[in-house]
Amino acid sequence: LALHYTSDLNSAYCSVFFLIREVYYGWCLRYFHSSGASFVFLFLFLHLARAIFYGSYFYNPNTWFSGILLLFFLMAIAFMGYVLPFGQMSFWGATVITNLLSPFPSLIEWICGGYCVHNPTLKRFFLFHFLLPFLLCGFVVLHLFYLHFHSSNNPLRLNTNNKIPFFPFIFLKDFFGLILILSLYFLQTHFGVSSLSHPDNALEACALLTPLHIVPEWYFLCQYAMLKAVPNKNAGFIILLTSIFVLFFFGEIRNLTTFTRLIDCNNGFSISFFFFSFLSFL
């Protein structure tokens, strides 16, 4: 993709559509990439939900903390990647999010390389979108290191009498899961194509024409709903950040009493309510 993409203001949009229409199997690459982001976030949400449901944050706090950092990095990478095709939603989404930084003096100018989303913004977003995933890989290694340090959490806590061998049991389970995910993925990329993206992003960016509804991709709708629900821009931004950073508190639970109170005393109502409110925001 990077071979065919140009991060120039005037040709970014055209280069993406040249890739889709003219390059052999370019459409395939492009939709693998855009749908791939959606799939990563879908299974990341499921993974996070499972960790909360099983209480893994209590048994493996380091794994949990590194996982939240991974989530944060992924959100940054996905946001910058969405800006790159430079359609209408890309441009206006970037404008909205970069303007959240307005309370900090000259930060917008520093990040965008100007007073609005322009050529230098696109260049540096492309650069960071390319480089950050390598940093992300490092954090994935750390995440797995902390996991294997204690081995996975199971219902009988972390003692060594009840371990299942990774090969063949867990390997087969994960392999089967992978086949299932790939089937859905190929269905989406070959039949759904760009159905997960907003139609307005197929139009070239125009600074004089604001879309009727500026919306991010579906996986940011939860955070975006918080942003829209709060009238004050700065307060909304703080709430958006808090909604992610509040996950750190889960890993800070150190004693068993707090943990069991959190899980048992409410008959699972509060955790269901948590998941349901997340879904309704989405």
Side-chain angles (χ1 to χ4, degrees), residues 13-28 30-31 193:
Y13 175 84
C14 298
S15 70
V16 173
F17 276 83
F18 178 82
L19 174 83
I20 293 172
R21 292 171 186 171
E22 303 295 336
V23 179
Y24 278 141
Y25 287 101
W27 60 270
C28 201
R30 200 255 148 130
Y31 292 123
V193 197

mmCIF file of all heavy atoms in Angstrom, residues 13-28 30-31 193:
data_model
loop_
_atom_site.group_PDB
_atom_site.id
_atom_site.type_symbol
_atom_site.label_atom_id
_atom_site.label_comp_id
_atom_site.label_asym_id
_atom_site.label_seq_id
_atom_site.Cartn_x
_atom_site.Cartn_y
_atom_site.Cartn_z
ATOM 1 N N TYR A 13 -5.896 11.355 -2.379
ATOM 2 C CA TYR A 13 -7.184 10.754 -2.724
ATOM 3 C C TYR A 13 -7.090 9.986 -4.040
ATOM 4 O O TYR A 13 -7.545 8.846 -4.139
ATOM 5 C CB TYR A 13 -8.226 11.866 -2.816
ATOM 6 C CG TYR A 13 -9.590 11.429 -3.282
ATOM 7 C CD1 TYR A 13 -10.515 10.903 -2.393
ATOM 8 C CD2 TYR A 13 -9.953 11.562 -4.617
ATOM 9 C CE1 TYR A 13 -11.763 10.513 -2.822
ATOM 10 C CE2 TYR A 13 -11.211 11.183 -5.063
ATOM 11 C CZ TYR A 13 -12.114 10.655 -4.151
ATOM 12 O OH TYR A 13 -13.347 10.260 -4.583
ATOM 13 N N CYS A 14 -6.452 10.613 -5.040
ATOM 14 C CA CYS A 14 -6.340 9.979 -6.353
ATOM 15 C C CYS A 14 -5.486 8.715 -6.290
ATOM 16 O O CYS A 14 -5.777 7.734 -6.967
ATOM 17 C CB CYS A 14 -5.734 10.952 -7.362
ATOM 18 S SG CYS A 14 -6.749 12.411 -7.599
ATOM 19 N N SER A 15 -4.440 8.747 -5.457
ATOM 20 C CA SER A 15 -3.548 7.582 -5.394
ATOM 21 C C SER A 15 -4.284 6.364 -4.831
ATOM 22 O O SER A 15 -4.062 5.238 -5.265
ATOM 23 C CB SER A 15 -2.307 7.889 -4.556
ATOM 24 O OG SER A 15 -2.635 8.004 -3.189
ATOM 25 N N VAL A 16 -5.183 6.615 -3.858
ATOM 26 C CA VAL A 16 -5.963 5.502 -3.297
ATOM 27 C C VAL A 16 -6.895 4.919 -4.361
ATOM 28 O O VAL A 16 -7.012 3.701 -4.499
ATOM 29 C CB VAL A 16 -6.757 5.961 -2.055
ATOM 30 C CG1 VAL A 16 -7.692 4.855 -1.585
ATOM 31 C CG2 VAL A 16 -5.818 6.352 -0.928
ATOM 32 N N PHE A 17 -7.526 5.791 -5.125
ATOM 33 C CA PHE A 17 -8.458 5.277 -6.133
ATOM 34 C C PHE A 17 -7.735 4.689 -7.342
ATOM 35 O O PHE A 17 -8.257 3.782 -7.992
ATOM 36 C CB PHE A 17 -9.471 6.365 -6.534
ATOM 37 C CG PHE A 17 -10.620 6.402 -5.576
ATOM 38 C CD1 PHE A 17 -10.523 7.108 -4.382
ATOM 39 C CD2 PHE A 17 -11.775 5.683 -5.829
ATOM 40 C CE1 PHE A 17 -11.571 7.107 -3.473
ATOM 41 C CE2 PHE A 17 -12.826 5.673 -4.924
ATOM 42 C CZ PHE A 17 -12.720 6.392 -3.741
ATOM 43 N N PHE A 18 -6.537 5.175 -7.595
ATOM 44 C CA PHE A 18 -5.704 4.536 -8.617
ATOM 45 C C PHE A 18 -5.369 3.111 -8.169
ATOM 46 O O PHE A 18 -5.451 2.157 -8.959
ATOM 47 C CB PHE A 18 -4.408 5.336 -8.826
ATOM 48 C CG PHE A 18 -3.479 4.704 -9.826
ATOM 49 C CD1 PHE A 18 -3.660 4.898 -11.196
ATOM 50 C CD2 PHE A 18 -2.430 3.893 -9.416
ATOM 51 C CE1 PHE A 18 -2.814 4.303 -12.127
ATOM 52 C CE2 PHE A 18 -1.586 3.292 -10.338
ATOM 53 C CZ PHE A 18 -1.774 3.494 -11.696
ATOM 54 N N LEU A 19 -5.033 2.981 -6.884
ATOM 55 C CA LEU A 19 -4.731 1.655 -6.320
ATOM 56 C C LEU A 19 -5.926 0.711 -6.479
ATOM 57 O O LEU A 19 -5.781 -0.433 -6.913
ATOM 58 C CB LEU A 19 -4.373 1.805 -4.842
ATOM 59 C CG LEU A 19 -4.168 0.492 -4.063
ATOM 60 C CD1 LEU A 19 -2.765 -0.022 -4.272
ATOM 61 C CD2 LEU A 19 -4.443 0.678 -2.592
ATOM 62 N N ILE A 20 -7.121 1.231 -6.172
ATOM 63 C CA ILE A 20 -8.321 0.381 -6.227
ATOM 64 C C ILE A 20 -8.652 -0.017 -7.668
ATOM 65 O O ILE A 20 -9.016 -1.158 -7.947
ATOM 66 C CB ILE A 20 -9.525 1.119 -5.599
ATOM 67 C CG1 ILE A 20 -9.303 1.309 -4.105
ATOM 68 C CG2 ILE A 20 -10.814 0.350 -5.824
ATOM 69 C CD1 ILE A 20 -10.341 2.178 -3.444
ATOM 70 N N ARG A 21 -8.512 0.905 -8.601
ATOM 71 C CA ARG A 21 -9.023 0.667 -9.958
ATOM 72 C C ARG A 21 -7.985 0.129 -10.929
ATOM 73 O O ARG A 21 -8.341 -0.636 -11.836
ATOM 74 C CB ARG A 21 -9.602 1.969 -10.515
ATOM 75 C CG ARG A 21 -10.862 2.382 -9.774
ATOM 76 C CD ARG A 21 -11.316 3.758 -10.176
ATOM 77 N NE ARG A 21 -12.453 4.180 -9.350
ATOM 78 C CZ ARG A 21 -12.965 5.393 -9.346
ATOM 79 N NH1 ARG A 21 -12.439 6.316 -10.141
ATOM 80 N NH2 ARG A 21 -13.978 5.704 -8.579
ATOM 81 N N GLU A 22 -6.727 0.529 -10.774
ATOM 82 C CA GLU A 22 -5.736 0.236 -11.808
ATOM 83 C C GLU A 22 -4.712 -0.847 -11.415
ATOM 84 O O GLU A 22 -4.254 -1.593 -12.261
ATOM 85 C CB GLU A 22 -4.981 1.518 -12.189
ATOM 86 C CG GLU A 22 -5.877 2.653 -12.655
ATOM 87 C CD GLU A 22 -6.597 2.331 -13.952
ATOM 88 O OE1 GLU A 22 -6.108 1.486 -14.730
ATOM 89 O OE2 GLU A 22 -7.679 2.917 -14.178
ATOM 90 N N VAL A 23 -4.342 -0.880 -10.132
ATOM 91 C CA VAL A 23 -3.315 -1.834 -9.702
ATOM 92 C C VAL A 23 -3.930 -3.224 -9.600
ATOM 93 O O VAL A 23 -5.057 -3.371 -9.100
ATOM 94 C CB VAL A 23 -2.735 -1.399 -8.333
ATOM 95 C CG1 VAL A 23 -1.688 -2.391 -7.847
ATOM 96 C CG2 VAL A 23 -2.140 -0.008 -8.433
ATOM 97 N N TYR A 24 -3.216 -4.250 -10.069
ATOM 98 C CA TYR A 24 -3.713 -5.627 -9.968
ATOM 99 C C TYR A 24 -3.946 -5.989 -8.502
ATOM 100 O O TYR A 24 -3.038 -5.923 -7.694
ATOM 101 C CB TYR A 24 -2.715 -6.613 -10.584
ATOM 102 C CG TYR A 24 -2.841 -6.708 -12.093
ATOM 103 C CD1 TYR A 24 -1.716 -6.827 -12.896
ATOM 104 C CD2 TYR A 24 -4.096 -6.683 -12.700
ATOM 105 C CE1 TYR A 24 -1.826 -6.903 -14.273
ATOM 106 C CE2 TYR A 24 -4.215 -6.762 -14.078
ATOM 107 C CZ TYR A 24 -3.080 -6.866 -14.864
ATOM 108 O OH TYR A 24 -3.191 -6.935 -16.225
ATOM 109 N N TYR A 25 -5.169 -6.407 -8.202
ATOM 110 C CA TYR A 25 -5.557 -6.781 -6.839
ATOM 111 C C TYR A 25 -5.317 -5.665 -5.831
ATOM 112 O O TYR A 25 -5.207 -5.918 -4.631
ATOM 113 C CB TYR A 25 -4.869 -8.080 -6.409
ATOM 114 C CG TYR A 25 -5.475 -9.264 -7.126
ATOM 115 C CD1 TYR A 25 -4.842 -9.845 -8.213
ATOM 116 C CD2 TYR A 25 -6.721 -9.742 -6.740
ATOM 117 C CE1 TYR A 25 -5.425 -10.892 -8.899
ATOM 118 C CE2 TYR A 25 -7.314 -10.793 -7.412
ATOM 119 C CZ TYR A 25 -6.663 -11.369 -8.496
ATOM 120 O OH TYR A 25 -7.254 -12.400 -9.164
ATOM 121 N N GLY A 26 -5.266 -4.440 -6.311
ATOM 122 C CA GLY A 26 -5.126 -3.306 -5.413
ATOM 123 C C GLY A 26 -6.351 -3.153 -4.519
ATOM 124 O O GLY A 26 -6.234 -2.880 -3.332
ATOM 125 N N TRP A 27 -7.531 -3.363 -5.120
ATOM 126 C CA TRP A 27 -8.777 -3.283 -4.345
ATOM 127 C C TRP A 27 -8.718 -4.254 -3.169
ATOM 128 O O TRP A 27 -9.165 -3.946 -2.061
ATOM 129 C CB TRP A 27 -9.991 -3.606 -5.233
ATOM 130 C CG TRP A 27 -9.937 -4.976 -5.839
ATOM 131 C CD1 TRP A 27 -9.372 -5.305 -7.032
ATOM 132 C CD2 TRP A 27 -10.414 -6.198 -5.267
ATOM 133 N NE1 TRP A 27 -9.473 -6.653 -7.245
ATOM 134 C CE2 TRP A 27 -10.108 -7.232 -6.180
ATOM 135 C CE3 TRP A 27 -11.074 -6.519 -4.081
ATOM 136 C CZ2 TRP A 27 -10.431 -8.572 -5.930
ATOM 137 C CZ3 TRP A 27 -11.397 -7.849 -3.834
ATOM 138 C CH2 TRP A 27 -11.073 -8.852 -4.767
ATOM 139 N N CYS A 28 -8.148 -5.436 -3.437
ATOM 140 C CA CYS A 28 -8.064 -6.485 -2.425
ATOM 141 C C CYS A 28 -7.218 -6.003 -1.250
ATOM 142 O O CYS A 28 -7.624 -6.094 -0.084
ATOM 143 C CB CYS A 28 -7.444 -7.723 -3.059
ATOM 144 S SG CYS A 28 -7.800 -9.225 -2.165
ATOM 145 N N ARG A 30 -6.489 -2.920 -0.452
ATOM 146 C CA ARG A 30 -7.069 -1.770 0.213
ATOM 147 C C ARG A 30 -8.190 -2.187 1.169
ATOM 148 O O ARG A 30 -8.273 -1.714 2.293
ATOM 149 C CB ARG A 30 -7.598 -0.791 -0.835
ATOM 150 C CG ARG A 30 -7.774 0.619 -0.292
ATOM 151 C CD ARG A 30 -9.207 0.953 -0.048
ATOM 152 N NE ARG A 30 -9.388 1.865 1.071
ATOM 153 C CZ ARG A 30 -10.106 2.967 1.027
ATOM 154 N NH1 ARG A 30 -10.667 3.323 -0.101
ATOM 155 N NH2 ARG A 30 -10.279 3.693 2.094
ATOM 156 N N TYR A 31 -9.056 -3.102 0.719
ATOM 157 C CA TYR A 31 -10.181 -3.480 1.566
ATOM 158 C C TYR A 31 -9.770 -4.470 2.653
ATOM 159 O O TYR A 31 -10.393 -4.511 3.711
ATOM 160 C CB TYR A 31 -11.358 -3.977 0.712
ATOM 161 C CG TYR A 31 -11.939 -2.847 -0.095
ATOM 162 C CD1 TYR A 31 -12.034 -2.901 -1.489
ATOM 163 C CD2 TYR A 31 -12.329 -1.671 0.535
ATOM 164 C CE1 TYR A 31 -12.523 -1.832 -2.216
ATOM 165 C CE2 TYR A 31 -12.822 -0.591 -0.181
ATOM 166 C CZ TYR A 31 -12.915 -0.685 -1.552
ATOM 167 O OH TYR A 31 -13.400 0.388 -2.267
ATOM 168 N N VAL A 193 -17.114 -5.467 0.975
ATOM 169 C CA VAL A 193 -16.191 -4.466 0.430
ATOM 170 C C VAL A 193 -16.072 -3.278 1.392
ATOM 171 O O VAL A 193 -15.589 -3.431 2.494
ATOM 172 C CB VAL A 193 -16.566 -4.029 -0.996
ATOM 173 C CG1 VAL A 193 -15.367 -3.330 -1.655
ATOM 174 C CG2 VAL A 193 -16.925 -5.238 -1.851
#
